[in-house]
Amino acid sequence: METVNPLKPAEPRDRKLSIHVVTWNVASAAPPLDLDHLLQLDKQDPNLDMYVIGLQEMSRGILSLLSDTAFEDPWSSFFMDVLSPLSFVKGNKGGVNICLKLYGYYVSIINCHLPPHLANNDQRLEHFDWILEMQNFEGPDIPNILDHDLIIWFGDMNFRIEDFGLHFVREAVKSQCYSDLWEKDQLSIAKRYDTLLREFQEGPLLFPPTYKFDKNSNNYDTSEKKRKPAWTDRILWRLKRQPHTDSCTPRRPAPHLSLSLRSYISHMMYTISDHKPVTGTFDLELKPLVSVPLISLMPEGLWTMENALLINYSFTPDFPSSPWDWIGLYKVGFRHINDYVSYVWVRDNQVSFNDRLNQVYINISDIPETEDQFLLCYYSNSLHSVVGISNPFKIQPQAFLEEDPLGEVQPQI
């Protein structure tokens, strides 16, 4: 017979998240018509919780820069056309390095484009080490990248195949004897002696080299340069290791966090670029270090199209609240944090507050009457991200009051 102590908080359950990583040097091309295969949306049940998409060589001409200032870039727009109906949201962060805090764990996501050409291998390795050692994040108590619990690093790393001639490499690829080429792959060689790179793992290269192809074909480079095929597009990961307990005990991954590779493949069907896209699908298993969200949001009572409405929210004791925090009202399926229907500053419109519960009001009288479902999102100015999302709810049309047979006034929806 099992007994439970009601005064002792329950242990947080282990979580399993599926992450799909995409890296693609798109060579300034526009998006193709269909990316379902790349995103695994052609599968009956892709069972994915997070997409991590990194592109290289997106068009950055003058017209592109002007359009990006006023509008979303075409690649981001295309991906969100596909993913936003499935409730995926593109966050407000940009650049090549993103830091996430996931159930209390620090996760660093790095998208890179390292120097090209066979002879520049030392320069590639210098860039690799420099990014890891020099990059820092703004914000309270965010550790250096090397102290993050998980690093996912991907991109056009531009590592090439040494020594072997063009004919040998092409014949090995044609006969799918990829193992003959692995020993001369510059990244594989560097992992043997570079102390930082050695800590990163990669899946087996069981797919053809992803560079360099003639555009709009599956033929390797037929130009005058006739570049050797190479696995330039890679996905790596690193789990933080426990410190040595003694001189004889090797460091091991923390027992409460593990990452397993489900698939690591290229996608030959896409021909718009001289690179083929590569995807890696991972299962991340972890024991949450925090079981309570920083912010809990809930609408108060029945929301109707009338005047100001109340929002209840609570936050954990260590949450760094700011007068510039705000709560946004969104339609389910929104694409970006700026797609709010309405918003309210948490301090300006505060109704009441105490240690456990806070109330603010939001005016939605200008919202058109629709059948859409809505969400509330709490944006933290200190953490530069959304830290709380409510469950979906509907905003009812305006209520009418009517007498019942007993003479009492009842609301009618």
Side-chain angles (χ1 to χ4, degrees):
M1 178 178 179
E2 182 181 1
T3 60
V4 177
N5 182 353
L7 300 180
K8 182 180 178 181
E11 287 288 328
R13 294 182 177 179
D14 289 359
R15 298 285 180 136
K16 184 174 181 178
L17 300 174
S18 296
I19 303 172
H20 189 65
V21 180
V22 178
T23 180
W24 193 1
N25 183 323
V26 296
S28 301
L33 295 177
D34 185 355
L35 288 173
D36 282 0
H37 181 65
L38 187 70
L39 301 175
Q40 292 196 351
L41 298 179
D42 54 351
K43 294 187 175 181
Q44 180 122 13
D45 182 14
N47 188 29
L48 296 172
D49 299 296
M50 183 186 301
Y51 283 95
V52 178
I53 301 171
L55 306 178
Q56 303 87 41
E57 290 193 24
M58 294 171 60
S59 178
R60 305 305 298 173
I62 293 177
L63 291 177
S64 176
L65 289 172
L66 291 174
S67 66
D68 286 355
T69 303
F71 309 102
E72 192 172 42
D73 69 86
W75 278 94
S76 294
S77 179
F78 188 90
F79 277 117
M80 290 317 301
D81 284 343
V82 176
L83 295 177
S84 60
L86 303 177
S87 299
F88 289 96
V89 177
K90 180 171 76 78
N92 68 319
K93 298 179 177 65
V96 297
N97 202 336
I98 296 174
C99 173
L100 307 175
K101 199 169 185 183
L102 197 63
Y103 294 102
Y105 297 93
Y106 281 100
V107 177
S108 197
I109 297 171
I110 303 172
N111 171 22
C112 73
H113 191 178
L114 299 181
H117 307 306
L118 179 67
N120 289 332
N121 192 45
D122 289 343
Q123 192 178 357
R124 280 189 282 275
L125 295 175
E126 288 174 6
H127 282 215
F128 195 97
D129 291 352
W130 183 83
I131 291 171
L132 283 174
E133 293 172 345
M134 302 300 293
Q135 185 66 258
N136 290 307
F137 294 97
E138 295 181 3
D141 303 322
I142 299 179
N144 180 273
I145 291 178
L146 291 172
D147 290 319
H148 286 185
D149 299 287
L150 171 63
I151 301 172
I152 299 177
W153 190 322
F154 55 91
D156 180 0
M157 298 187 180
N158 259 319
F159 290 106
R160 306 304 171 96
I161 296 173
E162 294 183 347
D163 298 340
F164 294 138
L166 173 65
H167 178 74
F168 180 87
V169 172
R170 288 194 172 184
E171 285 300 311
V173 173
K174 185 177 180 180
S175 59
Q176 299 186 10
C177 296
Y178 305 132
S179 59
D180 293 342
L181 306 177
W182 293 343
E183 63 181 87
K184 297 299 182 179
D185 169 65
Q186 288 179 332
L187 178 56
S188 301
I189 294 171
K191 282 172 62 69
R192 299 170 198 160
Y193 63 86
D194 187 284
T195 54
L196 285 178
L197 192 53
R198 189 185 301 150
E199 296 187 4
F200 283 82
Q201 300 180 63
E202 183 183 16
L205 298 171
L206 302 178
F207 49 87
T210 54
Y211 176 84
K212 172 180 172 59
F213 289 88
D214 294 335
K215 289 186 179 181
N216 302 311
S217 80
N218 284 326
N219 300 320
Y220 284 103
D221 187 14
T222 60
S223 70
E224 290 183 3
K225 293 184 178 179
K226 289 187 170 56
R227 295 178 180 88
K228 281 193 299 183
W231 286 287
T232 57
D233 310 279
R234 313 289 276 266
I235 300 174
L236 312 177
W237 73 93
R238 173 189 180 266
L239 288 168
K240 184 180 178 181
R241 303 282 174 167
Q242 294 177 316
H244 291 280
T245 54
D246 56 64
S247 59
C248 300
T249 305
R251 293 190 299 170
R252 302 186 308 276
H256 43 259
L257 183 72
S258 65
L259 189 75
S260 57
L261 182 65
R262 194 194 303 174
S263 72
Y264 188 36
I265 58 174
S266 65
H267 299 261
M268 295 291 290
M269 65 183 291
Y270 297 104
T271 62
I272 61 170
S273 169
D274 54 356
H275 291 251
K276 299 299 182 183
V278 172
T279 61
T281 307
F282 299 88
D283 290 320
L284 175 63
E285 295 188 59
L286 53 85
K287 182 181 289 294
L289 299 178
V290 293
S291 56
V292 179
L294 290 176
I295 293 287
S296 297
L297 279 167
M298 64 204 80
E300 170 67 16
L302 180 67
W303 279 45
T304 63
M305 294 296 210
E306 295 178 327
N307 304 318
L309 301 170
L310 288 177
I311 301 168
N312 293 331
Y313 72 93
S314 60
F315 51 80
T316 58
D318 58 342
F319 174 68
S321 61
S322 162
W324 301 108
D325 292 353
W326 51 274
I327 296 174
L329 177 70
Y330 298 84
K331 290 182 180 180
V332 171
F334 72 100
R335 301 159 61 99
H336 190 274
I337 190 62
N338 292 334
D339 293 342
Y340 50 79
V341 178
S342 184
Y343 73 93
V344 58
W345 300 102
V346 296
R347 297 286 175 87
D348 290 351
N349 290 37
Q350 199 167 55
V351 177
S352 64
F353 66 94
N354 55 46
D355 292 340
R356 293 189 175 181
L357 187 66
N358 299 267
Q359 283 189 330
V360 296
Y361 67 89
I362 186 170
N363 194 332
I364 60 167
S365 58
D366 56 345
I367 297 174
E369 295 188 12
T370 67
E371 294 297 319
D372 297 304
Q373 287 195 313
F374 292 85
L375 292 166
L376 294 169
C377 293
Y378 188 109
Y379 184 86
S380 166
N381 185 67
S382 301
L383 300 177
H384 308 294
S385 66
V386 171
V387 293
I389 301 178
S390 74
N391 291 324
F393 60 91
K394 278 195 172 185
I395 298 179
Q396 303 291 345
Q398 194 158 343
F400 297 95
L401 296 179
E402 175 179 292
E403 277 194 358
D404 70 4
L406 299 178
E408 297 177 349
V409 176
Q410 301 288 342
Q412 300 294 319
I413 306 300

